[in-house]
Amino acid sequence: MDDSWRRGPCPQRATFSRTVPPRSGRFTVTPRHWLRRTAPDFRRTVRGFRNPVSARTETVSYRSALQTPGAAAFFLAAAPARVGVAMAGLGIVWLVHAETGSFGVAGLVTGSFAVAETLVGPQTACLMDRFGQPRVLVPLLCAHAGAIAALVALTLTGAPVVPLMAAGLAAGATVPQFGALSAARWSALLHGRAELIPAFALETISNEVAFLLGPTLAVLTATQVHPAAGTVLAGALVVGAGLAFAALRRTAPAPAPDRTGARGTGPLLTRNFATLLAVNLALGVFFGSMQVSVSAFAGVHHAAAAAGFLYGLMSAASLLVGLAYGRHHRHTPPAAQLPLILTFLACASLLPLLANSPWQLGLALLLPGAGVAPCIIVSSTLIESVMDRSVLTQAFTWTNSASAAGIAVSAATVGRLVDGPGGTRAGFTVPFLALAATAALTWSSRHALTADTTASRQTSSTGGRRLGGVMSVQPT
């Protein structure tokens, strides 16, 4: 037997040897030793490659948004106040109807509250932009407490309609728009950061939950405790949680100078803001039309009790998709996402026209519901990106007012359509028309929105730094 392999290195092994540039000058390395030497360098290379990839990851965290110093405190403080605002309208209806026996009077008082809230809210937001949230919010909440107390006292003592409407106007004019105030604080803390998307998703989800819980809580307290209990509890939540929110001064945006007259039309009156107002108006039309049309459809099919469940399915789909959407950061600009989402929402709103039974309608409402939360999140992100910092609270408040106006006008219009020969199908056509028109508008405006968003990001990344919670552009 040839045992030459025992006496020296195998000749074949030499063919696999590799000479590496010597660090200390001299040696030849076999494959086994070469792998040992290069493995740590390879691991370092892989780690160095993975770090930039993880920085551009598609997933962002709700936790990271809430862990921003001060963010969780003001977000949790605003949550009960949102529920109180959602309770107010229905609480007033039950209070006034129980004492007067007239839904007509109750509608007048509640309508006065809603009109004042819609029209006066942006004016108080203007004051908050100029003087700061805490300085305006505290006296506003004190005035709201007095207006609610006057409304309850006048109703329980049998006052005429005109004083009741005046009290309703005062209560609506003094109720703060906590969604706008909270969104402005998120913007001050997270402007230009990826965590802003989950922050606005949290805002959308919190509003959805508030308007699911609020009406239910208002009815329960008014029917099980006292007719005035719903209104009193709503006022207590707004005032108590609002004062706690105002006390968190560290996260409040710093007052901005009043620049509405610096240019002829002012920072609010821009084409991009008009487009975003139209988007929120269309969303309001969608909500108001669906509420009336779903209720009418359930009544026609002898399942009136199922109307709340059907509408709840749509809200549940919006909540779940909003949670998922807020966790993912997309590289597609929000201005390019908005027309796509609106187009999807318009097409999905046609599905209820195909339903012939309540269970079919429930399935048909899932897809429209899935498009609602992403549309609101992207719209809020664009408002934060393109609007002047000095009018940001006003901008968020005006969009809320546009949505409320859309709900009011569409509910009245669709109610007449449903009573006519077209029935519920005519009612379901209204949101499609509104959303399709708005989708066409956003398609034509996407380049202007993208340009403004890009300019805002460049300013935040190169020319500005944060002072007191707001962006301050440094002179060059």
Side-chain angles (χ1 to χ4, degrees):
M1 174 181 291
D2 183 9
D3 58 353
S4 61
W5 60 275
R6 296 179 182 273
R7 296 189 295 270
C10 176
Q12 286 83 1
R13 181 176 295 176
T15 63
F16 291 97
S17 298
R18 175 175 176 178
T19 302
V20 298
R23 292 184 181 177
S24 57
R26 51 184 198 273
F27 49 86
T28 300
V29 184
T30 62
R32 180 179 61 186
H33 296 146
W34 177 75
L35 286 175
R36 285 181 182 174
R37 289 177 57 82
T38 58
D41 294 332
F42 178 74
R43 285 195 295 270
R44 283 193 294 269
T45 302
V46 172
R47 283 198 298 268
F49 174 73
R50 283 203 313 241
N51 284 340
V53 175
S54 62
R56 298 192 304 268
T57 182
E58 298 267 332
T59 302
V60 289
S61 171
Y62 289 112
R63 180 182 297 178
S64 61
L66 289 173
Q67 285 179 343
T68 304
F74 77 75
F75 178 73
L76 294 176
R82 296 177 205 261
V83 176
V85 173
M87 291 177 63
L90 199 53
I92 293 173
V93 169
W94 279 91
L95 168 63
V96 177
H97 175 261
E99 296 301 320
T100 64
S102 171
F103 276 113
V105 176
L108 287 173
V109 178
T110 307
S112 301
F113 179 93
V115 169
E117 180 184 9
T118 301
L119 296 181
V120 181
Q123 312 312 318
T124 57
C126 177
L127 295 175
M128 292 183 188
D129 277 330
R130 187 174 181 182
F131 299 106
Q133 290 183 7
R135 288 183 64 185
V136 179
L137 195 54
V138 173
L140 189 68
L141 290 168
C142 294
H144 183 69
I148 291 293
L151 176 60
V152 172
L154 288 171
T155 306
L156 294 179
T157 55
V161 176
V162 174
L164 292 179
M165 291 179 62
L169 284 169
T174 54
V175 64
Q177 300 286 335
F178 286 99
L181 301 182
S182 183
R185 293 199 179 203
W186 281 118
S187 174
L189 290 177
L190 300 174
H191 180 65
R193 293 172 53 182
E195 288 85 355
L196 194 61
I197 293 178
F200 283 143
L202 286 171
E203 286 291 302
T204 302
I205 293 164
S206 182
N207 286 331
E208 290 270 6
V209 172
F211 280 92
L212 284 175
L213 292 178
T216 303
L217 191 57
V219 173
L220 284 176
T221 53
T223 55
Q224 303 299 320
V225 181
H226 188 274
T231 303
V232 172
L233 180 59
L237 288 174
V238 169
V239 174
L243 289 174
F245 184 87
L248 302 171
R249 294 173 174 266
R250 189 165 62 92
T251 53
D258 184 14
R259 300 205 314 223
T260 55
R263 293 166 292 178
T265 56
L268 269 177
L269 301 181
T270 63
R271 177 187 174 186
N272 286 335
F273 185 59
T275 300
L276 296 171
L277 273 182
V279 170
N280 284 271
L281 179 66
L283 287 173
V285 171
F286 173 83
F287 292 134
S289 302
M290 284 296 183
Q291 287 174 356
V292 176
S293 299
V294 168
S295 299
F297 185 95
V300 167
H301 290 81
H302 310 289
F309 174 75
L310 293 174
Y311 197 76
L313 281 177
M314 189 171 71
S315 298
S318 177
L319 283 173
L320 292 176
V321 175
L323 279 170
Y325 186 89
R327 292 186 66 252
H328 294 278
H329 175 64
R330 291 157 181 80
H331 297 292
T332 306
Q337 296 179 41
L338 186 60
L340 292 172
I341 295 172
L342 281 169
T343 303
F344 167 80
L345 192 53
C347 295
S349 65
L350 288 173
L351 293 178
L353 292 171
L354 307 177
N356 294 313
S357 64
W359 70 268
Q360 290 180 357
L361 180 63
L363 293 177
L365 291 173
L366 292 177
L367 274 182
V372 169
C375 188
I376 296 174
I377 295 168
V378 172
S379 173
S380 299
T381 305
L382 284 171
I383 292 168
E384 193 275 338
S385 298
V386 305
M387 295 308 300
D388 192 287
R389 315 299 296 171
S390 65
V391 294
L392 195 56
T393 307
Q394 298 173 66
F396 282 119
T397 306
W398 272 115
T399 55
N400 291 344
S401 297
S403 181
I407 292 174
V409 173
S410 63
T413 304
V414 171
R416 296 179 65 87
L417 290 175
V418 167
D419 288 337
T424 57
R425 295 188 183 278
F428 284 127
T429 305
V430 172
F432 166 73
L433 295 176
L435 291 168
T438 310
L441 176 63
T442 54
W443 278 111
S444 66
S445 303
R446 68 188 186 280
H447 296 301
L449 286 169
T450 302
D452 272 12
T453 304
T454 303
S456 174
R457 288 179 178 175
Q458 289 175 347
T459 300
S460 64
S461 62
T462 62
R465 63 186 179 93
R466 295 193 178 278
L467 291 174
V470 295
M471 180 64 66
S472 174
V473 179
Q474 298 300 308
T476 57

